[in-house]
Amino acid sequence: MKKRINLCMSVFLLTLVPFMAFAQSKLVVNTLQEESTINKHIYGHFAEHLGRNIYGGIWVGPDSSVPNEDGYRLDVMQALIDLEIPNLRWPGGCFADEYHWTDGIGDPADRPKMVNTHWGGVTEDNSFGTHEFLNFVNKINTEAYITGNVGSGSVEEMSKWIEYINFDGVSPMAELRKKNGQEEPWNLTYWGVGNESWGCGGNMTPEYYANEYRRYATYARDYGGNKLYKIAGGANNWDLNWTEVLMKTIPLEMMDGLSLHYYTVTGSWENKGSATDFDKEEYLETLNKAAVMDDLIAKHSQIMDKYDPEKKVGLIIDEWGTWFKVEPGTNPGFLYQQNTMRDAHVAAITLNIFNKHADRVHMANLAQTVNVLQAIILTSEDDMILTPTYHVFDLYKPHKDAKLLPHFLATEKVVFGEQSIEALQVSTSKSEDGTINISIANVHPDKKIEIDVDLIGMNATKAEAAMVSAPQIDSYNTFEDKDVVKKEAFKDFKLNKNSLKVTAPANSVIMIQVK
Ligand code: AHR
């Protein structure tokens, strides 16, 4: 049956050749060929002790004049609940490898202070620690992903942290947790063994880290029925050798996930582009650098396939997103940047790529949640704005836990100067109830695009759609005007049983759901 459908699809695709002139674009979706499940954890987030992410972003403390519940900002908390984020990574990033968890428990007045050497050299008072994080995770109905300290910590320290969080019985760490007000264990699942151990996490060689991982992972115990999902600190960008050495050295049964970090840097690390001030060529440079994620995942997966053909170990992209120059006048160590419609397109392109590789990519975490890098939320005193990136995550909710569907796309290219990219960026999936989800980013800054969509195997009766769009590629939300870029209903499509005609406005991201 599957073979016949594939054959039909190939014959059908041949009929598309005339569309190659691109009077309009063509999208063919095979609604019968369900592939891997798109793990909802691909839509995860990351909150490091960095800048105003935790302090001022998530946590203001119970005595703050900013409206809060037990110290958590009400506005940010509600925005994260509404977004239904599947997981939140904490406490770093680079911060994780100099964080000593025992400094962040007990009476806040007695907690020792430390210097946050990586991020602005500010004093960290440890008022947001294990309890504050795990209780926050419960309040926003998400799952915690904690990264333990390998760089400056010890096996004993990490092992005791896990016992403190997860052991439901009589033990020194469980008693300490109870004394600090938490009777029940939190039953945490996701555990990272160090962060960027090739750099800020200890400047290790892959061989050295792989052995360290084996040692640390041995003492990262499962308690009761709770099984830890252990994630090894993975490669930076194109360091394929890191992945190769770890896959070769760490037994598959000791590792559930292997991470990978990739940031979209416009210009160079030394001279990054501005978050808001860019021309169309630079815009395409950013999008192309985001699209590199496809090849990057393919190459790392190829290596993982050699050692793990059954794809048991997940590739965990636990840091990704745009990294621009900080906003003028802000602390360079706080990594505060604005977020334009260009960031919305980066999010759409990247999430489409993660969906495409759902067989290997089991989790991902955008960097970062509030006020840092490609943030989904920005705050100022007691005010908050949702960024274009937030709205794309909101739009993409239907892809979570849906089955990936194969598609064929023929479209035109956007060209400015030396840069070019396909105007349409698409992902297609099928929800459990049979709804077909089609996300389309039209990244063309000035041209609306007509799309003929064929839905092979569909007899649709109903479709609805929403869109994130903006007047310009550099449009963004401000505290004075919060809805320049927002999510709204989209109506410019016509449904006819097994086909759709869609007109995608310039500079838009659309989600169409067909039933
Ligand atoms: O997200 C900012 C930093 O980028 C993280 O702390 C680190 O892991 C990465 O280099």
Side-chain angles (χ1 to χ4, degrees), residues 55-333:
Y55 300 110
I58 288 172
W59 177 257
V60 285
D63 301 329
S64 172
S65 59
V66 178
N68 70 84
E69 182 182 292
D70 305 331
Y72 307 106
R73 284 183 76 114
L74 280 173
D75 50 1
V76 169
M77 202 157 73
Q78 192 55 52
L80 295 177
I81 292 170
D82 293 344
L83 198 55
E84 295 165 17
I85 71 169
N87 67 70
L88 189 59
R89 179 173 183 247
W90 176 85
C94 294
F95 181 78
D97 280 292
E98 58 182 351
Y99 181 63
H100 299 285
W101 69 273
T102 48
D103 294 348
I105 54 169
D107 184 344
D110 298 336
R111 296 184 192 177
K113 296 184 172 45
M114 66 180 279
V115 187
N116 191 336
T117 53
H118 283 291
W119 307 119
V122 293
T123 301
E124 160 70 56
D125 69 2
N126 278 308
S127 53
F128 191 93
T130 303
H131 290 248
E132 289 74 19
F133 173 64
L134 291 170
N135 292 342
F136 181 63
V137 156
N138 284 345
K139 274 180 192 287
I140 63 169
N141 311 319
T142 190
E143 280 200 67
Y145 167 17
I146 289 187
T147 301
N149 181 344
V150 170
S152 70
S154 68
V155 171
E156 181 186 3
E157 181 184 8
M158 189 186 285
S159 163
K160 283 185 168 166
W161 198 5
I162 297 167
E163 181 189 323
Y164 184 89
I165 292 170
N166 279 352
F167 185 58
D168 186 16
V170 178
S171 85
M173 289 304 108
E175 292 312 304
L176 186 58
R177 181 190 71 230
K178 288 176 193 169
K179 193 175 132 232
N180 288 331
Q182 179 69 27
E183 195 60 33
E184 301 298 323
W186 280 284
N187 293 327
L188 172 103
T189 302
Y190 296 101
W191 192 268
V193 178
N195 169 76
E196 297 196 349
S197 304
W198 40 264
C200 66
N203 284 308
M204 302 175 197
T205 63
E207 290 80 8
Y208 183 83
Y209 173 75
N211 282 325
E212 284 295 276
Y213 176 88
R214 292 168 62 131
R215 207 159 67 89
Y216 275 77
T218 301
Y219 300 97
R221 304 286 190 201
D222 294 332
Y223 290 107
N226 191 72
K227 165 123 183 42
L228 281 184
Y229 183 102
K230 293 176 206 161
I231 300 168
N236 186 29
N237 301 341
W238 289 103
D239 188 354
L240 300 175
N241 182 49
W242 186 277
T243 298
E244 180 93 45
V245 173
L246 263 58
M247 289 302 295
K248 193 162 46 189
T249 316
I250 302 171
L252 292 187
E253 61 278 9
M254 287 190 84
M255 167 171 68
D256 300 288
L258 172 60
S259 87
L260 170 67
H261 288 180
Y262 176 72
Y263 284 98
T264 299
V265 177
T266 306
S268 62
W269 277 104
E270 296 70 38
N271 187 19
K272 302 185 200 74
S274 150
T276 52
D277 184 13
F278 52 90
D279 62 18
K280 287 178 179 165
E281 190 172 355
E282 196 171 314
Y283 163 72
L284 291 191
E285 180 197 336
T286 308
L287 301 196
N288 273 318
K289 284 185 165 168
V292 160
M293 185 67 89
D294 191 16
D295 206 22
L296 198 60
I297 294 174
K299 294 285 182 329
H300 283 277
S301 299
Q302 228 174 20
I303 294 169
M304 293 175 80
D305 286 350
K306 269 203 297 182
Y307 301 93
D308 174 29
E310 287 171 20
K311 298 183 195 291
K312 179 195 151 285
V313 179
L315 184 58
I316 311 296
I317 323 257
D318 51 15
E319 288 187 29
W320 68 272
T322 55
W323 193 320
F324 297 113
K325 253 190 239 160
V326 298
E327 292 305 319
T330 64
N331 186 329

Side-chain angles (χ1 to χ4, degrees), residues 337-340 343-344 366 369 371 373-378 385-393 468 476-477 482 485-486:
Q337 64 191 43
Q338 249 295 356
N339 194 292
T340 67
D343 293 82
L366 174 67
T369 312
N371 296 323
L373 298 176
Q374 193 176 348
I376 52 172
I377 297 170
L378 301 178
I385 51 179
L386 303 177
T387 67
T389 302
Y390 178 98
H391 294 304
V392 170
F393 272 79
V468 176
Y476 57 93
N477 296 334
K482 295 180 176 161
V485 188
K486 60 177 187 294

